[in-house]
Amino acid sequence: MIMGLKFSLQVFITLFCVIYVINGINGLDNGLGRTPPMGWNSWNRFHCNINENLIKQTADALIKYGLDEVGYKYLNMDDCWEGKRDEQGYIHASNVTFPSGIKALADYAHSKGLLFGIYSDAGYLTCARRPGSLGFEEQDAKTFASWEIDYLKYDNCNNNGKPEEDRYKVMRDALNATGRPIFYSICEWGRSAPYLWAPSVGNSWRTTGDIHPTWPSILGILQRQHRITKYAGPGGWNDPDMLQVGNGKLTVDEQKSHFSLWAALKSPLLLGFDIRNPSHDTLEIVKNTEIIAINQDPLGKSVNIVKSTSYLDIWVGKLSDGHVALLLNKDESPTTIKLDFAKHVNIRGEILVRDLWEHEDKGIYVNSYSCEVPKHGIAVLKLFGGTKINDFTVQYYDHNDNLINDFYNDDLINDFYDSAFGRN
């Protein structure tokens, strides 16, 4: 009897995984998001205090400071642009803050060579209690397409408890029916394990609640990515929320760590500071083209956690032309962190190490590489050469934290998924 149950479960798992592959393991098939999107979003800095002049000035600043040239193409408005619905149910922008209408703003962004994004909610009201799209998905999708919108962030407030997957599929179908390619950003805060269903629904999916411009918030969100990195790939990305670089009282080293980790996790890189008045340090961080290249690597593989303690993390990942390793110091003082090529990266031989923040080749090493990392800082290393040791990388996970178990309710299914598809 036990053997029969075990066989039936294995058959079920096999069928589940096959169906999952057929339905698009690598993301929504709308041709978008083959690498993570890059751009700017209004919420983290301005919240509801937005208007058409601010958005146009931000478009100008993206060009002025050369941010578009390094990949930041999406100019995205968040909540609070909405006005009222007309008698036919069609949404209109606020005639107070956006008197020229959204189409005029989209045209302005497009005239600058940018892409334009908008916000709505899979609820009756948005989080700021403006009109939501629940029940109006077809009308709103048609409206967004007529405005030539390129990106939709779709939030999760005021939904009366209706299942997330069902609501987000309705908007997916409505967007697809318009015939206009619109990047579909699912923002349900990780409540329903979206990485399990969203790859066939959207181009990205939030994995946590809102980020704040504090070091504890960044570390807390980072921790919740530990065991879900395998679910992202070209066309569909885990989204640990928008960047807080340039906001709050984050130190320069904390901002470098935040930016580096989000880039290597293959998160959407959406800036959230006031681009009209950037600091030199902030611009230098977000324009680091060597870090951006990690995010935009065509292989599309996120880094994975291979060592985590109370004071350090080591994340590693495969690139199209080598490997990347991130050595994060979570401690309150500088510390030396050692990267073991065999244990942590699963490679051996002569390895050329390049530091992507110092923009310098560090030389050729054989067994390991060590460096001192400042308080709350990071070293991002690109590794060239070496040969693979094992067919599947052995993960050395040292962190004793039960929070990550929130993501795994059935280890048997996930272990089978890992071995069946070679996801490490």
Side-chain angles (χ1 to χ4, degrees):
M1 181 65 176
I2 294 175
M3 287 296 293
L5 286 173
K6 184 176 181 181
F7 175 78
S8 297
L9 181 58
Q10 288 174 338
V11 171
F12 167 78
I13 293 171
T14 301
L15 290 173
F16 171 83
C17 293
V18 169
I19 291 170
Y20 193 74
V21 171
I22 292 173
N23 281 307
I25 201 169
N26 288 325
L28 177 62
D29 187 19
N30 61 2
L32 300 177
R34 306 314 296 173
T35 59
M38 297 174 60
W40 177 87
N41 178 283
S42 59
W43 186 259
N44 281 352
R45 174 62 178 81
F46 296 102
H47 298 281
C48 261
N49 300 314
I50 59 173
N51 57 61
E52 64 181 45
N53 288 332
L54 167 67
I55 302 302
K56 291 173 75 172
Q57 290 166 7
T58 301
D60 295 341
L62 282 167
I63 307 303
K64 176 181 178 181
Y65 294 107
L67 290 161
D68 61 320
E69 295 177 354
V70 297
Y72 298 99
K73 294 292 188 179
Y74 284 101
L75 175 67
N76 294 349
M77 287 195 309
D78 211 280
D79 204 352
C80 301
W81 62 267
E82 308 90 345
K84 296 181 179 180
R85 294 190 181 276
D86 61 26
E87 293 179 354
Q88 289 73 43
Y90 287 95
I91 188 72
H92 295 272
S94 167
N95 56 17
V96 175
T97 49
F98 295 91
S100 302
I102 304 303
K103 178 63 164 64
L105 272 184
D107 288 347
Y108 188 84
H110 293 153
S111 74
K112 300 285 183 177
L114 302 172
L115 299 168
F116 192 73
I118 206 166
Y119 166 100
S120 191
D121 194 291
Y124 299 105
L125 297 171
T126 71
C127 297
R129 305 195 69 77
R130 306 295 180 94
S133 290
L134 187 60
F136 294 91
E137 292 90 350
E138 185 176 343
Q139 286 168 295
D140 286 357
K142 288 179 178 178
T143 298
F144 299 154
S146 73
W147 291 343
E148 298 186 7
I149 298 300
D150 303 297
Y151 188 115
L152 172 64
K153 175 184 174 182
Y154 203 43
D155 219 335
N156 196 32
C157 288
N158 302 304
N159 56 66
N160 287 353
K162 296 180 181 295
E164 280 84 3
E165 184 175 356
D166 294 344
R167 288 182 286 113
Y168 283 91
K169 283 182 176 179
V170 175
M171 181 55 86
R172 172 201 63 186
D173 295 342
L175 291 172
N176 285 342
T178 68
R180 180 174 180 80
I182 297 176
F183 187 99
Y184 187 25
S185 172
I186 293 171
C187 183
E188 57 80 83
W189 322 318
R191 293 188 60 175
S192 63
Y195 41 84
L196 295 178
W197 56 263
S200 64
V201 179
N203 296 111
S204 67
W205 43 89
R206 277 276 294 278
T207 59
T208 68
D210 286 0
I211 191 172
H212 301 285
T214 67
W215 185 240
S217 176
I218 290 167
L219 287 185
I221 287 177
L222 178 65
Q223 181 177 288
R224 295 186 68 85
Q225 313 311 304
H226 282 186
R227 296 186 66 181
I228 63 172
T229 53
K230 63 186 176 184
Y231 295 102
W237 308 102
N238 288 321
D239 178 6
D241 205 4
M242 300 169 291
L243 292 164
Q244 289 285 11
V245 176
N247 291 330
K249 297 181 180 180
L250 295 169
T251 68
V252 170
D253 284 321
E254 289 169 346
Q255 292 177 68
K256 286 182 176 180
S257 296
H258 174 29
F259 185 70
S260 301
L261 287 158
W262 264 234
L265 286 164
K266 301 301 190 288
S267 167
L269 294 183
L270 297 178
L271 307 175
F273 62 93
D274 187 351
I275 293 179
R276 302 170 303 172
N277 300 290
S279 72
H280 172 77
D281 287 337
T282 297
L283 276 183
E284 188 175 62
I285 290 169
V286 302
K287 291 183 70 175
N288 184 331
T289 55
E290 292 196 77
I291 301 296
I292 290 171
I294 300 300
N295 181 256
Q296 296 293 300
D297 184 75
L299 188 62
K301 282 190 173 294
S302 171
V303 290
N304 300 305
I305 187 75
V306 294
K307 182 178 178 67
S308 186
T309 72
S310 60
Y311 64 92
L312 68 83
D313 277 357
I314 298 178
W315 296 77
V316 303
K318 185 79 173 67
L319 300 172
S320 59
D321 60 349
H323 292 81
V324 64
L326 295 91
L327 314 183
L328 173 66
N329 179 13
K330 299 183 288 188
D331 206 3
E332 297 303 309
S333 60
T335 191
T336 297
I337 301 178
K338 177 182 178 181
L339 178 70
D340 185 303
F341 299 143
K343 180 179 179 180
H344 297 139
V345 196
N346 194 41
I347 56 176
R348 62 187 171 196
E350 294 186 341
I351 312 297
L352 173 63
V353 177
R354 179 172 177 80
D355 189 304
L356 302 190
W357 280 110
E358 295 183 7
H359 305 291
E360 180 178 74
D361 290 341
K362 292 298 184 177
I364 295 175
Y365 295 79
V366 176
N367 297 315
S368 64
Y369 177 82
S370 298
C371 62
E372 185 176 85
V373 182
K375 167 187 173 181
H376 299 179
I378 200 164
V380 183
L381 310 173
K382 191 167 182 180
L383 311 175
F384 299 93
T387 57
K388 189 175 181 179
I389 299 173
N390 302 316
D391 288 338
F392 298 101
T393 303
V394 177
Q395 301 294 333
Y396 293 85
Y397 187 77
D398 299 335
H399 203 292
N400 182 20
D401 195 327
N402 291 326
L403 286 177
I404 59 171
N405 292 330
D406 294 347
F407 292 107
Y408 277 73
N409 296 321
D410 194 328
D411 289 336
L412 177 59
I413 289 179
N414 283 286
D415 289 345
F416 182 91
Y417 184 88
D418 292 346
S419 61
F421 299 108
R423 299 226 167 190
N424 299 303

